[in-house]
Amino acid sequence: MAEQNRIREQIRSVLDTFPHTPRAHVQSFGCQLNFCDGEKYKGILQDLGFLLTDEPEEADVILFNACAVRAHAESRVIGRLGALKAIKEKNPLLVVGLCGCMAEEDEVRALLRKSYPFVKIVLGAGAMEKLPETLLKVYEGEKFAESLKFAGLPDESLPTVRTSSFQASVPVMYGCNNFCTYCIVPYVRGRERSRQPEAIENEVRGLIESGCKEILLLGQNVNSYGVGLETPINFPALLRRLDQIEGDYIIRFMSSHPKDATPELIDTMLASRHIEHHLHLPVQCGSDTVLKAMNRRYTVEKYLTMIDYARRKDPDFGFSSDLIVGFPTETEEDFLGTMDLISRVKYDNLYTFIYSPRTGTLAAKMEFVSTQEEIADRMRRLLEKQREISEEFNKRFLGKNVRMLAEKRDPETGLLLGKTLEGLVLEAPGEDAHIGKLLDVRVTGVKNWALSGELL
Ligand code: SAM
Ligand code: SF4
């Protein structure tokens, strides 16, 4: 702690020499967990004495907090980093940094050293608390300061700048032990480690007491929460504990791995007062052969058993999923399995990805059995089918009353946009004062991606 204070004071004395108010800009890319980390980077920089700005042009520190999951997203970040060179030329005081799981990749760091010398800071995912000392090294003249570490948990006392007053993300666990053959996450975010339940409960309680209406519990695999903790606790038990906190709020969570989804999880959700009746349960593919090659450790039948279990108890229970199209071994027949699966499950929402080979993963060494044209065509067919399915299945809500959290106003239609307890987007006419509130709504219409309704 004394060391942290010393570093903070040293940075502040550097900032005192600036001819203007020092400003910092943090931009996050990728998954919700990355955005959540981004709020902590902002907190640290604000604590060091920076004003936060949305404009990179006026910043003295720019941090890109980037995701390593897909190559295409990484290339975009590299392109945007390149564009910062012009800003650096105008402001010699500017320090540019790359952080997040993309910074953990050896080849990314090698590229930065070779072609982007104005990027001075590289901070790996999980090395957030090292930002002050890394920044100080740069202010003291180091050409390239890096900190990589993903073994532990972020310090519980790290400050956070929350983007919203009524929605908050709360990580419950970090890392992943699953080693799906296509995925880089275990290599760049390390093994699973869970936060203490007391720390999570205190954070959630504090948020609810300060008026937060939606808590999003986050982790690469939330339902394996608890592995390695001294006092045994599983994810449903954590949910039950949080659900006891008094107040008017919703708990959502993601992602859940199908191999760890249990009837206990569904029962806990259905018996709760605050937990959404929606599960994001990424299936990735509807073929057992491909699931095996992906090392997902469940079959299509086992997956469907969990869906049936939930829908028997609540026919309106909502599911969403991630799907990868074009895994190297995927044939047309495997893909037809995916098409069949989405018809059987009737997801409300799908996050679809074309397979992206990641260096160091097992799948990156596999030969493609389909062409890129075939894969692109499969993606098109998948999206078309999903549109039909959700438009039809959303009709189950017509005429019903649902609860939604109003999140914002759609700038085009002027309608309020929110998300229901079942995880569906809903639009309805309403006042600005409704934003950030939990509202009861009658569903009067259905689109392929959303419901529409009237406030009750
Ligand atoms: N842990 C979660 C799970 O297993 O369901 C998902 C976390 S992962 C960061 C988010 C999604 O990215 C995955 O569900 C998968 O669909 C997608 N993804 C991961 N690696 C990918 C790759 N190499 N190419 C395309 N999509 C990928
Ligand atoms: Fe990646 Fe699989 Fe871990 Fe999800 S469970 S983060 S897809 S390795």
Side-chain angles (χ1 to χ4, degrees):
M1 200 60 188
E3 177 63 2
Q4 303 286 337
N5 287 340
R6 185 189 62 79
I7 294 171
R8 192 194 290 125
E9 287 318 309
Q10 279 180 279
I11 291 183
R12 285 186 179 165
S13 53
V14 174
L15 300 186
D16 283 344
T17 66
F18 280 29
H20 53 259
T21 312
R23 289 185 158 77
H25 172 78
V26 178
Q27 207 165 327
S28 296
F29 304 83
C31 68
Q32 305 264 19
L33 211 54
N34 242 28
F35 279 84
C36 187
D37 289 350
E39 295 184 339
K40 293 207 167 70
Y41 287 116
K42 286 183 184 172
I44 297 169
L45 288 163
Q46 186 168 275
D47 184 55
L48 290 173
F50 289 91
L51 276 186
L52 298 172
T53 173
D54 290 335
E55 306 300 331
E57 289 78 10
E58 56 181 40
D60 301 291
V61 168
I62 298 180
L63 276 191
F64 276 6
N65 174 31
C67 166
V69 171
R70 280 170 293 276
H72 181 61
E74 274 193 357
S75 318
R76 280 212 318 265
V77 171
I78 293 287
R80 293 173 80 151
L81 267 179
L84 297 181
K85 192 169 173 212
I87 306 182
K88 171 72 189 165
E89 277 161 9
K90 281 194 211 140
N91 178 8
L93 293 172
L94 173 64
V95 176
V96 177
L98 178 73
C99 51
C101 49
M102 185 172 159
E104 294 280 357
E105 288 176 273
D106 295 341
E107 56 192 38
V108 168
R109 291 200 306 282
L111 175 73
L112 294 181
R113 278 175 190 264
K114 184 165 164 262
S115 310
Y116 298 81
F118 60 93
V119 178
K120 300 285 185 202
I121 287 184
V122 169
L123 270 185
M128 276 179 280
E129 60 267 46
K130 304 259 180 185
L131 175 57
E133 67 181 68
T134 317
L135 183 59
L136 183 61
K137 281 184 192 160
V138 175
Y139 284 148
E140 286 174 344
E142 262 186 49
K143 286 209 162 53
F144 187 77
E146 68 176 25
S147 290
L148 306 172
K149 182 209 86 168
F150 50 57
L153 286 164
D155 194 324
E156 287 292 345
S157 66
L158 282 182
T160 297
V161 171
R162 301 251 177 217
T163 318
S164 159
S165 59
F166 58 86
Q167 291 177 298
S169 302
V170 175
V172 300
M173 51 88 70
Y174 293 86
C176 178
N177 291 349
N178 292 318
F179 288 94
C180 300
T181 56
Y182 51 82
C183 184
I184 199 169
V185 167
Y187 305 93
V188 291
R189 285 205 173 252
R191 296 299 86 73
E192 282 177 12
R193 56 265 183 213
S194 296
R195 284 176 74 194
Q196 293 293 338
E198 295 74 26
I200 299 169
E201 186 182 335
N202 286 341
E203 185 174 348
V204 171
R205 191 182 294 282
L207 286 162
I208 291 164
E209 282 170 0
S210 67
C212 191
K213 296 293 175 203
E214 179 185 287
I215 306 289
L216 175 62
L217 304 177
L218 290 177
Q220 293 301 340
N221 194 1
V222 281
N223 50 349
S224 67
Y225 172 78
V227 174
L229 287 181
E230 251 171 48
T231 320
I233 177 166
N234 66 6
F235 187 59
L238 176 73
L239 287 177
R240 287 192 290 272
R241 189 165 166 165
L242 299 178
D243 188 50
Q244 282 169 20
I245 301 172
E246 289 304 325
D248 188 24
Y249 63 94
I250 303 178
I251 296 180
R252 307 189 194 273
F253 55 88
M254 68 189 300
S255 282
S256 301
H257 196 300
K259 79 174 169 49
D260 300 317
T262 56
E264 185 193 1
L265 175 66
I266 305 285
D267 291 344
T268 300
M269 295 170 79
L270 291 175
S272 73
R273 296 180 298 166
H274 301 106
I275 304 168
E276 63 175 346
H277 289 190
H278 162 260
L279 194 54
H280 181 64
L281 200 59
V283 67
Q284 312 299 356
C285 180
S287 145
D288 284 344
T289 329
V290 174
L291 287 175
K292 196 154 196 291
M294 288 177 160
N295 189 32
R296 289 292 288 180
R297 286 178 275 173
Y298 51 83
T299 59
V300 170
E301 264 337 289
K302 172 163 186 281
Y303 183 88
L304 288 172
T305 308
M306 202 44 58
I307 308 279
D308 290 343
Y309 183 85
R311 291 260 170 81
R312 264 202 313 276
K313 298 205 158 187
D314 173 6
D316 289 340
F317 199 97
F319 284 95
S320 57
S321 189
D322 296 348
L323 275 175
I324 295 179
V325 178
F327 185 78
T329 65
E330 182 190 270
T331 60
E332 175 64 15
E333 197 189 335
D334 294 320
F335 173 70
L336 292 178
T338 302
M339 293 287 263
D340 183 48
L341 177 82
I342 67 165
S343 307
R344 287 167 78 182
V345 177
K346 299 188 174 67
Y347 293 107
D348 293 312
N349 212 342
L350 275 185
Y351 300 87
T352 50
F353 308 105
I354 297 242
Y355 165 74
S356 165
R358 305 310 286 130
T359 308
T361 61
L362 278 177
K365 299 191 191 94
M366 297 178 188
E367 298 278 332
F368 279 94
V369 299
S370 303
T371 64
Q372 290 306 307
E373 289 70 35
E374 286 166 337
I375 292 169
D377 184 56
R378 285 177 199 156
M379 180 59 105
R380 190 192 50 71
R381 284 149 63 201
L382 183 71
L383 294 177
E384 199 175 294
K385 175 128 201 127
Q386 177 57 27
R387 240 191 316 273
E388 288 165 16
I389 292 170
S390 42
E391 184 154 359
E392 187 53 37
F393 195 50
N394 285 351
K395 287 187 187 151
R396 71 195 189 277
F397 288 110
L398 266 180
K400 288 190 185 169
N401 296 346
V402 294
R403 270 209 114 190
M404 80 150 179
L405 174 68
E407 294 178 7
K408 58 182 175 191
R409 193 175 285 291
D410 183 330
E412 275 174 28
T413 62
L415 296 170
L416 292 179
L417 282 180
K419 217 184 304 143
T420 71
L421 205 56
E422 296 78 12
L424 273 158
V425 174
L426 192 152
E427 54 177 30
E431 313 287 318
D432 278 353
H434 289 126
I435 295 173
K437 301 244 159 65
L438 284 162
L439 307 167
D440 293 313
V441 187
R442 159 130 336 123
V443 178
T444 53
V446 171
K447 301 181 173 176
N448 61 33
W449 57 275
L451 306 174
S452 49
E454 288 163 2
L455 303 193
L456 288 171

